[in-house]
Each structure stands twice: as C-alpha cells, then as structure tokens.
C-alpha cells in the first residue's frame, strides 16, 4: 500500500496540486528546484505514494543552514510533509525510517527541526518515539536562539532542533 521512491521531475505539478487542494501554498517551482538540487547532489528527496496516490515526502539536505547542525556537519531532514488525508497510516514513519537509512550511508547522526505550534504536535511525538532528542538550544528562527524573557512574534518559523544517532 505504501511505496517510497525518489522524486522525479514530473512529480512537481502533482505534488503542488495535492497541497493546494489541502489549502497549503506549495508552488510547483519549489519541487522543480528540489529536483534540480537532487540532480546536483545537494538534496535527496523521498516521495511516498499510498495506493498509487501521492501522499507525502521528506527531503535530506546534506549541508544544513541551521547553525547547530552545520557546526557538527550533520545532514538535516527537512520539509517533511504527509497530506492530512493520509496521516496516521504509517506513511510518515516509513518515510522517516527510509530517510535515516539513506543518511546512515554518509553520517552516523542526523538532525531534524520541527515547528513548535500545535499543528506540529504529531511530528513532535513521532520524532521522540523514534529516538530523536532535543539539541538543547531551545526555539529558534533564522538561526536566532531566544533567551529568557526575550519577546518574539509567534509564527510558523519558530522551531526546535532534534538529533538522532543512527
């Protein structure tokens, strides 16, 4: 029922359309760019299909922009999405575990970041269940780490980093 494969150039339209139907803005150009980065070896993308229908994806960025992972030379799992109608079917777990196997060929450890808002709750729980631990840096946005009593606007870009030894 769940098939995992690499992103192809032809996937861009289908993936963008699926997210638009869900009410999310994920432009076609994003996936064309991902495909080009995959061809250059900068990013590795896994696509999930459920009963032959696009269900989600995860990308592996070999050189993270997140300063904590960059300093430790950790690949980062990022832009990990499963369409809402396919959540809670094991698709995200399978994508994540296969991505870890890909990373394991190049690194003994991997990083992932997740938003702190309620909509990310399922992802937060999945990462902990699969052995990811917080990186200890707290919440950040654009490599700025917030300190006690520092005010910030709450938005979708606030995230917390996790790592896992593979």
């Amino acid at each position: 029922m769940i098939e995992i494969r690499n992103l192809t150039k032809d996937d861009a339209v289908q993936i963008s359309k699926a997210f638009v139907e869900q009410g999310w803005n994920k432009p076609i150009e994003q996936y064309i760019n991902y495909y080009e980065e995959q061809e250059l070896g900068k990013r590795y993308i896994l696509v999930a299909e459920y009963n032959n229908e696009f269900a989600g994806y995860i990308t592996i960025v070999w050189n993270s922009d997140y300063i904590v992972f960059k300093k430790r030379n950790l690949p980062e799992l990022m832009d990990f999405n499963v369409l809402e109608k396919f959540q809670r079917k094991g698709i995200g777990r399978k994508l994540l575990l296969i991505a870890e196997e890909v990373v394991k060929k190049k690194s003994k450890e991997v990083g992932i970041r997740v938003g702190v808002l309620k909509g990310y709750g399922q992802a937060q729980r999945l990462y902990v269940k699969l052995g990811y631990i917080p990186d200890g840096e707290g919440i950040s946005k654009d490599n700025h780490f917030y300190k006690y009593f520092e005010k910030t606007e709450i938005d979708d870009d606030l995230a917390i980093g996790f790592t896992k030894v593979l």
Side-chain angles (χ1 to χ4, degrees):
M1 289 204 309
I2 303 171
E3 181 187 333
I4 308 294
R5 61 174 176 76
N6 288 103
L7 178 78
T8 67
K9 193 172 188 176
D10 295 335
D11 289 326
V13 172
Q14 175 188 5
I15 293 172
S16 178
K17 182 180 179 209
F19 282 106
V20 167
E21 288 172 1
Q22 182 174 280
W24 294 10
N25 180 25
K26 297 262 188 184
I28 294 168
E29 294 77 22
Q30 175 178 341
Y31 302 102
I32 291 170
N33 184 52
Y34 281 1
Y35 177 78
E36 291 169 354
E37 288 181 358
Q38 180 175 261
E39 290 297 293
L40 293 171
K42 294 179 179 180
R43 187 183 296 260
Y44 191 95
I45 303 101
L46 294 167
V47 173
E49 292 181 342
Y50 187 80
N51 292 332
N52 297 315
E53 186 178 347
F54 169 74
Y57 68 92
I58 189 169
T59 80
I60 302 165
V61 176
W62 299 112
N63 296 302
S64 176
D65 288 335
Y66 178 55
I67 194 71
V68 176
F69 299 162
K70 188 179 204 77
K71 284 180 182 177
R72 295 176 57 191
N73 200 31
L74 296 182
E76 181 178 358
L77 304 176
M78 64 184 308
D79 199 15
F80 177 24
N81 291 281
V82 174
L83 290 170
E84 291 169 346
K85 68 182 180 179
F86 292 117
Q87 291 179 2
R88 307 199 64 79
K89 296 182 183 304
I91 296 165
R93 175 183 290 268
K94 189 167 185 177
L95 274 169
L96 195 56
L97 292 174
I98 292 173
E100 288 176 4
E101 290 302 314
V102 171
V103 170
K104 197 184 289 188
K105 295 173 186 172
K106 292 186 175 189
S107 178
K108 294 179 182 179
E109 191 173 8
V110 67
I112 193 166
R113 289 181 290 161
V114 64
V116 296
L117 301 177
K118 182 178 180 176
Y120 295 102
Q122 287 183 36
Q124 295 163 358
R125 291 173 53 83
L126 176 62
Y127 302 160
V128 171
K129 287 179 184 178
L130 292 179
Y132 286 81
I133 60 169
D135 65 14
E137 298 295 333
I139 61 170
S140 65
K141 178 179 177 178
D142 299 325
N143 282 319
H144 174 80
F145 297 87
Y146 291 89
K147 297 176 177 68
Y148 287 111
F149 308 112
E150 185 177 356
K151 302 256 187 253
T152 184
E153 191 171 304
I154 302 296
D155 65 23
D156 196 46
D157 292 330
L158 288 173
I160 187 166
F162 288 79
T163 60
K164 180 179 180 179
V165 175
L166 301 174

